[in-house]
PDB file of all heavy atoms in Angstrom:
ATOM      1  N   ASP A   1       2.280  19.812  -2.246  1.00  0.00           N
ATOM      2  CA  ASP A   1       1.729  18.923  -3.268  1.00  0.00           C
ATOM      3  C   ASP A   1       0.704  17.972  -2.660  1.00  0.00           C
ATOM      4  O   ASP A   1       0.486  17.973  -1.450  1.00  0.00           O
ATOM      5  CB  ASP A   1       2.839  18.144  -3.970  1.00  0.00           C
ATOM      6  CG  ASP A   1       3.644  17.267  -3.027  1.00  0.00           C
ATOM      7  OD1 ASP A   1       3.340  17.224  -1.815  1.00  0.00           O
ATOM      8  OD2 ASP A   1       4.582  16.612  -3.494  1.00  0.00           O
ATOM      9  N   ARG A   2       0.069  17.190  -3.543  1.00  0.00           N
ATOM     10  CA  ARG A   2      -0.924  16.204  -3.123  1.00  0.00           C
ATOM     11  C   ARG A   2      -0.743  14.918  -3.921  1.00  0.00           C
ATOM     12  O   ARG A   2      -1.531  14.618  -4.812  1.00  0.00           O
ATOM     13  CB  ARG A   2      -2.332  16.742  -3.354  1.00  0.00           C
ATOM     14  CG  ARG A   2      -2.719  17.790  -2.366  1.00  0.00           C
ATOM     15  CD  ARG A   2      -4.216  17.912  -2.292  1.00  0.00           C
ATOM     16  NE  ARG A   2      -4.546  18.731  -1.153  1.00  0.00           N
ATOM     17  CZ  ARG A   2      -5.372  19.742  -1.186  1.00  0.00           C
ATOM     18  NH1 ARG A   2      -5.992  20.042  -2.290  1.00  0.00           N
ATOM     19  NH2 ARG A   2      -5.605  20.439  -0.109  1.00  0.00           N
ATOM     20  N   PRO A   3       0.269  14.127  -3.597  1.00  0.00           N
ATOM     21  CA  PRO A   3       0.437  12.865  -4.313  1.00  0.00           C
ATOM     22  C   PRO A   3      -0.732  11.926  -4.012  1.00  0.00           C
ATOM     23  O   PRO A   3      -1.256  11.904  -2.896  1.00  0.00           O
ATOM     24  CB  PRO A   3       1.745  12.290  -3.774  1.00  0.00           C
ATOM     25  CG  PRO A   3       2.285  13.274  -2.803  1.00  0.00           C
ATOM     26  CD  PRO A   3       1.304  14.354  -2.620  1.00  0.00           C
ATOM     27  N   SER A   4      -1.115  11.151  -5.025  1.00  0.00           N
ATOM     28  CA  SER A   4      -2.197  10.181  -4.857  1.00  0.00           C
ATOM     29  C   SER A   4      -1.944   9.019  -5.803  1.00  0.00           C
ATOM     30  O   SER A   4      -1.100   9.089  -6.686  1.00  0.00           O
ATOM     31  CB  SER A   4      -3.549  10.828  -5.154  1.00  0.00           C
ATOM     32  OG  SER A   4      -3.605  11.247  -6.500  1.00  0.00           O
ATOM     33  N   GLY A   5      -2.693   7.945  -5.606  1.00  0.00           N
ATOM     34  CA  GLY A   5      -2.545   6.799  -6.488  1.00  0.00           C
ATOM     35  C   GLY A   5      -3.246   5.571  -5.941  1.00  0.00           C
ATOM     36  O   GLY A   5      -4.108   5.667  -5.062  1.00  0.00           O
ATOM     37  N   LEU A   6      -2.848   4.423  -6.465  1.00  0.00           N
ATOM     38  CA  LEU A   6      -3.460   3.152  -6.106  1.00  0.00           C
ATOM     39  C   LEU A   6      -2.475   2.296  -5.328  1.00  0.00           C
ATOM     40  O   LEU A   6      -1.267   2.427  -5.491  1.00  0.00           O
ATOM     41  CB  LEU A   6      -3.872   2.403  -7.376  1.00  0.00           C
ATOM     42  CG  LEU A   6      -4.842   3.139  -8.295  1.00  0.00           C
ATOM     43  CD1 LEU A   6      -5.019   2.360  -9.596  1.00  0.00           C
ATOM     44  CD2 LEU A   6      -6.171   3.360  -7.604  1.00  0.00           C
ATOM     45  N   PHE A   7      -3.011   1.401  -4.495  1.00  0.00           N
ATOM     46  CA  PHE A   7      -2.151   0.478  -3.753  1.00  0.00           C
ATOM     47  C   PHE A   7      -2.784  -0.902  -3.697  1.00  0.00           C
ATOM     48  O   PHE A   7      -3.999  -1.053  -3.774  1.00  0.00           O
ATOM     49  CB  PHE A   7      -1.862   0.989  -2.335  1.00  0.00           C
ATOM     50  CG  PHE A   7      -3.070   1.036  -1.448  1.00  0.00           C
ATOM     51  CD1 PHE A   7      -3.457  -0.073  -0.713  1.00  0.00           C
ATOM     52  CD2 PHE A   7      -3.827   2.191  -1.351  1.00  0.00           C
ATOM     53  CE1 PHE A   7      -4.576  -0.029   0.110  1.00  0.00           C
ATOM     54  CE2 PHE A   7      -4.937   2.246  -0.534  1.00  0.00           C
ATOM     55  CZ  PHE A   7      -5.321   1.131   0.196  1.00  0.00           C
ATOM     56  N   THR A   8      -1.926  -1.905  -3.569  1.00  0.00           N
ATOM     57  CA  THR A   8      -2.322  -3.282  -3.316  1.00  0.00           C
ATOM     58  C   THR A   8      -1.424  -3.807  -2.206  1.00  0.00           C
ATOM     59  O   THR A   8      -0.200  -3.720  -2.308  1.00  0.00           O
ATOM     60  CB  THR A   8      -2.155  -4.162  -4.569  1.00  0.00           C
ATOM     61  OG1 THR A   8      -2.939  -3.615  -5.633  1.00  0.00           O
ATOM     62  CG2 THR A   8      -2.605  -5.586  -4.295  1.00  0.00           C
ATOM     63  N   LEU A   9      -2.031  -4.315  -1.139  1.00  0.00           N
ATOM     64  CA  LEU A   9      -1.285  -4.847  -0.003  1.00  0.00           C
ATOM     65  C   LEU A   9      -1.623  -6.314   0.182  1.00  0.00           C
ATOM     66  O   LEU A   9      -2.796  -6.694   0.092  1.00  0.00           O
ATOM     67  CB  LEU A   9      -1.651  -4.105   1.282  1.00  0.00           C
ATOM     68  CG  LEU A   9      -1.495  -2.589   1.276  1.00  0.00           C
ATOM     69  CD1 LEU A   9      -2.048  -2.000   2.569  1.00  0.00           C
ATOM     70  CD2 LEU A   9      -0.045  -2.203   1.082  1.00  0.00           C
ATOM     71  N   LEU A  10      -0.619  -7.128   0.455  1.00  0.00           N
ATOM     72  CA  LEU A  10      -0.837  -8.520   0.815  1.00  0.00           C
ATOM     73  C   LEU A  10      -0.575  -8.644   2.313  1.00  0.00           C
ATOM     74  O   LEU A  10       0.508  -8.310   2.792  1.00  0.00           O
ATOM     75  CB  LEU A  10       0.111  -9.445   0.039  1.00  0.00           C
ATOM     76  CG  LEU A  10       0.037 -10.926   0.394  1.00  0.00           C
ATOM     77  CD1 LEU A  10      -1.370 -11.481   0.169  1.00  0.00           C
ATOM     78  CD2 LEU A  10       1.047 -11.709  -0.412  1.00  0.00           C
ATOM     79  N   PHE A  11      -1.611  -9.061   3.040  1.00  0.00           N
ATOM     80  CA  PHE A  11      -1.505  -9.259   4.490  1.00  0.00           C
ATOM     81  C   PHE A  11      -1.365 -10.736   4.797  1.00  0.00           C
ATOM     82  O   PHE A  11      -1.966 -11.577   4.122  1.00  0.00           O
ATOM     83  CB  PHE A  11      -2.775  -8.752   5.189  1.00  0.00           C
ATOM     84  CG  PHE A  11      -2.809  -7.273   5.409  1.00  0.00           C
ATOM     85  CD1 PHE A  11      -3.173  -6.420   4.384  1.00  0.00           C
ATOM     86  CD2 PHE A  11      -2.510  -6.737   6.648  1.00  0.00           C
ATOM     87  CE1 PHE A  11      -3.238  -5.052   4.587  1.00  0.00           C
ATOM     88  CE2 PHE A  11      -2.567  -5.373   6.861  1.00  0.00           C
ATOM     89  CZ  PHE A  11      -2.929  -4.524   5.830  1.00  0.00           C
ATOM     90  N   LYS A  12      -0.601 -11.040   5.840  1.00  0.00           N
ATOM     91  CA  LYS A  12      -0.441 -12.407   6.320  1.00  0.00           C
ATOM     92  C   LYS A  12      -0.612 -12.396   7.839  1.00  0.00           C
ATOM     93  O   LYS A  12      -0.087 -11.515   8.519  1.00  0.00           O
ATOM     94  CB  LYS A  12       0.948 -12.938   5.957  1.00  0.00           C
ATOM     95  CG  LYS A  12       1.185 -14.366   6.378  1.00  0.00           C
ATOM     96  CD  LYS A  12       2.547 -14.855   5.896  1.00  0.00           C
ATOM     97  CE  LYS A  12       2.774 -16.304   6.273  1.00  0.00           C
ATOM     98  NZ  LYS A  12       4.053 -16.801   5.791  1.00  0.00           N
ATOM     99  N   ARG A  13      -1.361 -13.374   8.341  1.00  0.00           N
ATOM    100  CA  ARG A  13      -1.517 -13.484   9.792  1.00  0.00           C
ATOM    101  C   ARG A  13      -0.308 -14.230  10.349  1.00  0.00           C
ATOM    102  O   ARG A  13      -0.040 -15.363   9.993  1.00  0.00           O
ATOM    103  CB  ARG A  13      -2.788 -14.245  10.154  1.00  0.00           C
ATOM    104  CG  ARG A  13      -3.053 -14.220  11.656  1.00  0.00           C
ATOM    105  CD  ARG A  13      -4.119 -15.199  12.117  1.00  0.00           C
ATOM    106  NE  ARG A  13      -5.225 -15.349  11.239  1.00  0.00           N
ATOM    107  CZ  ARG A  13      -6.480 -14.973  11.524  1.00  0.00           C
ATOM    108  NH1 ARG A  13      -6.755 -14.422  12.673  1.00  0.00           N
ATOM    109  NH2 ARG A  13      -7.437 -15.193  10.661  1.00  0.00           N
ATOM    110  N   LEU A  14       0.422 -13.556  11.225  1.00  0.00           N
ATOM    111  CA  LEU A  14       1.595 -14.117  11.883  1.00  0.00           C
ATOM    112  C   LEU A  14       1.277 -14.263  13.368  1.00  0.00           C
ATOM    113  O   LEU A  14       0.259 -13.742  13.840  1.00  0.00           O
ATOM    114  CB  LEU A  14       2.799 -13.202  11.667  1.00  0.00           C
ATOM    115  CG  LEU A  14       3.211 -12.993  10.208  1.00  0.00           C
ATOM    116  CD1 LEU A  14       4.283 -11.922  10.104  1.00  0.00           C
ATOM    117  CD2 LEU A  14       3.684 -14.297   9.598  1.00  0.00           C
ATOM    118  N   PRO A  15       2.127 -14.937  14.134  1.00  0.00           N
ATOM    119  CA  PRO A  15       1.864 -15.061  15.576  1.00  0.00           C
ATOM    120  C   PRO A  15       1.658 -13.704  16.269  1.00  0.00           C
ATOM    121  O   PRO A  15       0.873 -13.598  17.203  1.00  0.00           O
ATOM    122  CB  PRO A  15       3.107 -15.773  16.102  1.00  0.00           C
ATOM    123  CG  PRO A  15       3.574 -16.586  14.936  1.00  0.00           C
ATOM    124  CD  PRO A  15       3.288 -15.728  13.727  1.00  0.00           C
ATOM    125  N   ALA A  16       2.324 -12.666  15.783  1.00  0.00           N
ATOM    126  CA  ALA A  16       2.195 -11.330  16.381  1.00  0.00           C
ATOM    127  C   ALA A  16       0.963 -10.579  15.871  1.00  0.00           C
ATOM    128  O   ALA A  16       0.688  -9.474  16.318  1.00  0.00           O
ATOM    129  CB  ALA A  16       3.446 -10.513  16.098  1.00  0.00           C
ATOM    130  N   GLY A  17       0.222 -11.144  14.913  1.00  0.00           N
ATOM    131  CA  GLY A  17      -0.957 -10.489  14.346  1.00  0.00           C
ATOM    132  C   GLY A  17      -0.825 -10.310  12.843  1.00  0.00           C
ATOM    133  O   GLY A  17       0.103 -10.809  12.215  1.00  0.00           O
ATOM    134  N   TRP A  18      -1.790  -9.607  12.246  1.00  0.00           N
ATOM    135  CA  TRP A  18      -1.783  -9.365  10.804  1.00  0.00           C
ATOM    136  C   TRP A  18      -0.672  -8.376  10.458  1.00  0.00           C
ATOM    137  O   TRP A  18      -0.528  -7.339  11.102  1.00  0.00           O
ATOM    138  CB  TRP A  18      -3.131  -8.804  10.352  1.00  0.00           C
ATOM    139  CG  TRP A  18      -4.212  -9.829  10.339  1.00  0.00           C
ATOM    140  CD1 TRP A  18      -5.089 -10.097  11.333  1.00  0.00           C
ATOM    141  CD2 TRP A  18      -4.505 -10.734   9.277  1.00  0.00           C
ATOM    142  NE1 TRP A  18      -5.926 -11.119  10.961  1.00  0.00           N
ATOM    143  CE2 TRP A  18      -5.598 -11.525   9.700  1.00  0.00           C
ATOM    144  CE3 TRP A  18      -3.964 -10.962   8.017  1.00  0.00           C
ATOM    145  CZ2 TRP A  18      -6.146 -12.518   8.901  1.00  0.00           C
ATOM    146  CZ3 TRP A  18      -4.521 -11.948   7.225  1.00  0.00           C
ATOM    147  CH2 TRP A  18      -5.594 -12.714   7.659  1.00  0.00           C
ATOM    148  N   ARG A  19       0.104  -8.715   9.428  1.00  0.00           N
ATOM    149  CA  ARG A  19       1.210  -7.867   8.985  1.00  0.00           C
ATOM    150  C   ARG A  19       1.187  -7.750   7.461  1.00  0.00           C
ATOM    151  O   ARG A  19       0.835  -8.698   6.759  1.00  0.00           O
ATOM    152  CB  ARG A  19       2.571  -8.455   9.396  1.00  0.00           C
ATOM    153  CG  ARG A  19       2.753  -8.591  10.894  1.00  0.00           C
ATOM    154  CD  ARG A  19       2.819  -7.215  11.562  1.00  0.00           C
ATOM    155  NE  ARG A  19       3.164  -7.290  12.958  1.00  0.00           N
ATOM    156  CZ  ARG A  19       2.291  -7.246  13.962  1.00  0.00           C
ATOM    157  NH1 ARG A  19       1.002  -7.163  13.700  1.00  0.00           N
ATOM    158  NH2 ARG A  19       2.694  -7.295  15.211  1.00  0.00           N
ATOM    159  N   ILE A  20       1.597  -6.585   6.955  1.00  0.00           N
ATOM    160  CA  ILE A  20       1.755  -6.395   5.518  1.00  0.00           C
ATOM    161  C   ILE A  20       3.050  -7.075   5.110  1.00  0.00           C
ATOM    162  O   ILE A  20       4.118  -6.759   5.637  1.00  0.00           O
ATOM    163  CB  ILE A  20       1.802  -4.903   5.149  1.00  0.00           C
ATOM    164  CG1 ILE A  20       0.486  -4.223   5.520  1.00  0.00           C
ATOM    165  CG2 ILE A  20       2.114  -4.726   3.659  1.00  0.00           C
ATOM    166  CD1 ILE A  20       0.530  -2.715   5.425  1.00  0.00           C
ATOM    167  N   VAL A  21       2.959  -8.014   4.160  1.00  0.00           N
ATOM    168  CA  VAL A  21       4.156  -8.708   3.694  1.00  0.00           C
ATOM    169  C   VAL A  21       4.539  -8.295   2.277  1.00  0.00           C
ATOM    170  O   VAL A  21       5.616  -8.635   1.797  1.00  0.00           O
ATOM    171  CB  VAL A  21       4.009 -10.245   3.805  1.00  0.00           C
ATOM    172  CG1 VAL A  21       3.879 -10.654   5.260  1.00  0.00           C
ATOM    173  CG2 VAL A  21       2.828 -10.754   2.985  1.00  0.00           C
ATOM    174  N   HIS A  22       3.630  -7.562   1.611  1.00  0.00           N
ATOM    175  CA  HIS A  22       3.949  -7.047   0.272  1.00  0.00           C
ATOM    176  C   HIS A  22       3.117  -5.794   0.042  1.00  0.00           C
ATOM    177  O   HIS A  22       1.934  -5.762   0.357  1.00  0.00           O
ATOM    178  CB  HIS A  22       3.630  -8.089  -0.797  1.00  0.00           C
ATOM    179  CG  HIS A  22       3.938  -7.609  -2.177  1.00  0.00           C
ATOM    180  ND1 HIS A  22       5.205  -7.632  -2.700  1.00  0.00           N
ATOM    181  CD2 HIS A  22       3.148  -7.060  -3.127  1.00  0.00           C
ATOM    182  CE1 HIS A  22       5.172  -7.140  -3.933  1.00  0.00           C
ATOM    183  NE2 HIS A  22       3.940  -6.780  -4.202  1.00  0.00           N
ATOM    184  N   ASP A  23       3.760  -4.758  -0.504  1.00  0.00           N
ATOM    185  CA  ASP A  23       3.087  -3.488  -0.788  1.00  0.00           C
ATOM    186  C   ASP A  23       3.460  -3.057  -2.190  1.00  0.00           C
ATOM    187  O   ASP A  23       4.638  -2.883  -2.502  1.00  0.00           O
ATOM    188  CB  ASP A  23       3.543  -2.447   0.237  1.00  0.00           C
ATOM    189  CG  ASP A  23       3.012  -1.044  -0.045  1.00  0.00           C
ATOM    190  OD1 ASP A  23       2.339  -0.817  -1.072  1.00  0.00           O
ATOM    191  OD2 ASP A  23       3.272  -0.165   0.779  1.00  0.00           O
ATOM    192  N   HIS A  24       2.455  -2.895  -3.040  1.00  0.00           N
ATOM    193  CA  HIS A  24       2.686  -2.326  -4.366  1.00  0.00           C
ATOM    194  C   HIS A  24       1.869  -1.050  -4.449  1.00  0.00           C
ATOM    195  O   HIS A  24       0.644  -1.087  -4.366  1.00  0.00           O
ATOM    196  CB  HIS A  24       2.271  -3.292  -5.480  1.00  0.00           C
ATOM    197  CG  HIS A  24       2.470  -2.688  -6.833  1.00  0.00           C
ATOM    198  ND1 HIS A  24       1.447  -2.145  -7.546  1.00  0.00           N
ATOM    199  CD2 HIS A  24       3.585  -2.522  -7.571  1.00  0.00           C
ATOM    200  CE1 HIS A  24       1.925  -1.674  -8.695  1.00  0.00           C
ATOM    201  NE2 HIS A  24       3.214  -1.889  -8.725  1.00  0.00           N
ATOM    202  N   THR A  25       2.553   0.082  -4.555  1.00  0.00           N
ATOM    203  CA  THR A  25       1.892   1.382  -4.608  1.00  0.00           C
ATOM    204  C   THR A  25       2.303   2.075  -5.891  1.00  0.00           C
ATOM    205  O   THR A  25       3.478   2.114  -6.234  1.00  0.00           O
ATOM    206  CB  THR A  25       2.298   2.235  -3.387  1.00  0.00           C
ATOM    207  OG1 THR A  25       1.893   1.548  -2.204  1.00  0.00           O
ATOM    208  CG2 THR A  25       1.639   3.583  -3.427  1.00  0.00           C
ATOM    209  N   ARG A  26       1.311   2.592  -6.594  1.00  0.00           N
ATOM    210  CA  ARG A  26       1.556   3.295  -7.854  1.00  0.00           C
ATOM    211  C   ARG A  26       1.028   4.712  -7.713  1.00  0.00           C
ATOM    212  O   ARG A  26      -0.173   4.932  -7.602  1.00  0.00           O
ATOM    213  CB  ARG A  26       0.866   2.592  -9.016  1.00  0.00           C
ATOM    214  CG  ARG A  26       1.106   3.261 -10.357  1.00  0.00           C
ATOM    215  CD  ARG A  26       0.391   2.504 -11.447  1.00  0.00           C
ATOM    216  NE  ARG A  26      -1.035   2.460 -11.194  1.00  0.00           N
ATOM    217  CZ  ARG A  26      -1.948   3.117 -11.895  1.00  0.00           C
ATOM    218  NH1 ARG A  26      -1.588   3.856 -12.906  1.00  0.00           N
ATOM    219  NH2 ARG A  26      -3.224   3.032 -11.610  1.00  0.00           N
ATOM    220  N   ALA A  27       1.942   5.662  -7.696  1.00  0.00           N
ATOM    221  CA  ALA A  27       1.552   7.060  -7.566  1.00  0.00           C
ATOM    222  C   ALA A  27       1.183   7.632  -8.926  1.00  0.00           C
ATOM    223  O   ALA A  27       1.817   7.322  -9.936  1.00  0.00           O
ATOM    224  CB  ALA A  27       2.674   7.870  -6.945  1.00  0.00           C
ATOM    225  N   GLU A  28       0.160   8.460  -8.908  1.00  0.00           N
ATOM    226  CA  GLU A  28      -0.190   9.225 -10.097  1.00  0.00           C
ATOM    227  C   GLU A  28       0.651  10.498 -10.081  1.00  0.00           C
ATOM    228  O   GLU A  28       1.332  10.789  -9.106  1.00  0.00           O
ATOM    229  CB  GLU A  28      -1.686   9.563 -10.061  1.00  0.00           C
ATOM    230  CG  GLU A  28      -2.547   8.315 -10.070  1.00  0.00           C
ATOM    231  CD  GLU A  28      -3.998   8.584  -9.726  1.00  0.00           C
ATOM    232  OE1 GLU A  28      -4.290   9.654  -9.133  1.00  0.00           O
ATOM    233  OE2 GLU A  28      -4.828   7.733 -10.035  1.00  0.00           O
ATOM    234  N   ARG A  29       0.583  11.266 -11.117  1.00  0.00           N
ATOM    235  CA  ARG A  29       1.336  12.510 -11.167  1.00  0.00           C
ATOM    236  C   ARG A  29       0.847  13.418 -10.033  1.00  0.00           C
ATOM    237  O   ARG A  29      -0.345  13.673  -9.908  1.00  0.00           O
ATOM    238  CB  ARG A  29       1.115  13.209 -12.512  1.00  0.00           C
ATOM    239  CG  ARG A  29       1.818  14.543 -12.602  1.00  0.00           C
ATOM    240  CD  ARG A  29       1.690  15.148 -13.967  1.00  0.00           C
ATOM    241  NE  ARG A  29       2.594  14.400 -14.827  1.00  0.00           N
ATOM    242  CZ  ARG A  29       2.438  14.312 -16.139  1.00  0.00           C
ATOM    243  NH1 ARG A  29       1.431  14.877 -16.731  1.00  0.00           N
ATOM    244  NH2 ARG A  29       3.281  13.628 -16.859  1.00  0.00           N
ATOM    245  N   PRO A  30       1.757  13.918  -9.175  1.00  0.00           N
ATOM    246  CA  PRO A  30       1.332  14.746  -8.045  1.00  0.00           C
ATOM    247  C   PRO A  30       0.765  16.086  -8.502  1.00  0.00           C
ATOM    248  O   PRO A  30       1.192  16.628  -9.514  1.00  0.00           O
ATOM    249  CB  PRO A  30       2.597  14.942  -7.226  1.00  0.00           C
ATOM    250  CG  PRO A  30       3.718  14.653  -8.135  1.00  0.00           C
ATOM    251  CD  PRO A  30       3.192  13.712  -9.205  1.00  0.00           C
ATOM    252  N   VAL A  31      -0.177  16.588  -7.738  1.00  0.00           N
ATOM    253  CA  VAL A  31      -0.748  17.898  -7.981  1.00  0.00           C
ATOM    254  C   VAL A  31       0.076  18.903  -7.188  1.00  0.00           C
ATOM    255  O   VAL A  31       0.125  18.842  -5.959  1.00  0.00           O
ATOM    256  CB  VAL A  31      -2.228  17.958  -7.534  1.00  0.00           C
ATOM    257  CG1 VAL A  31      -2.774  19.366  -7.699  1.00  0.00           C
ATOM    258  CG2 VAL A  31      -3.046  16.938  -8.307  1.00  0.00           C
ATOM    259  N   LEU A  32       0.767  19.804  -7.885  1.00  0.00           N
ATOM    260  CA  LEU A  32       1.582  20.827  -7.219  1.00  0.00           C
ATOM    261  C   LEU A  32       0.706  22.010  -6.858  1.00  0.00           C
ATOM    262  O   LEU A  32      -0.116  22.458  -7.644  1.00  0.00           O
ATOM    263  CB  LEU A  32       2.733  21.267  -8.109  1.00  0.00           C
ATOM    264  CG  LEU A  32       3.706  20.168  -8.520  1.00  0.00           C
ATOM    265  CD1 LEU A  32       4.765  20.709  -9.464  1.00  0.00           C
ATOM    266  CD2 LEU A  32       4.354  19.537  -7.302  1.00  0.00           C
TER     267      LEU A  32
END
């Protein structure tokens, strides 16, 4: 299959570097 879709990521700079602190991903109907 070939799943695809949209994403929104919230990054925050922490002492260890930039990290994703929130991920919202919306998949569309996969192509089989």
Side-chain angles (χ1 to χ4, degrees):
D1 60 2
R2 286 201 169 131
S4 63
L6 302 173
F7 66 87
T8 302
L9 305 174
L10 176 59
F11 279 81
K12 182 176 182 178
R13 187 193 322 246
L14 299 172
W18 286 94
R19 299 293 188 262
I20 297 170
V21 296
H22 180 81
D23 174 356
H24 178 260
T25 300
R26 181 180 60 110
E28 298 167 341
R29 177 175 285 156
V31 176
L32 300 177

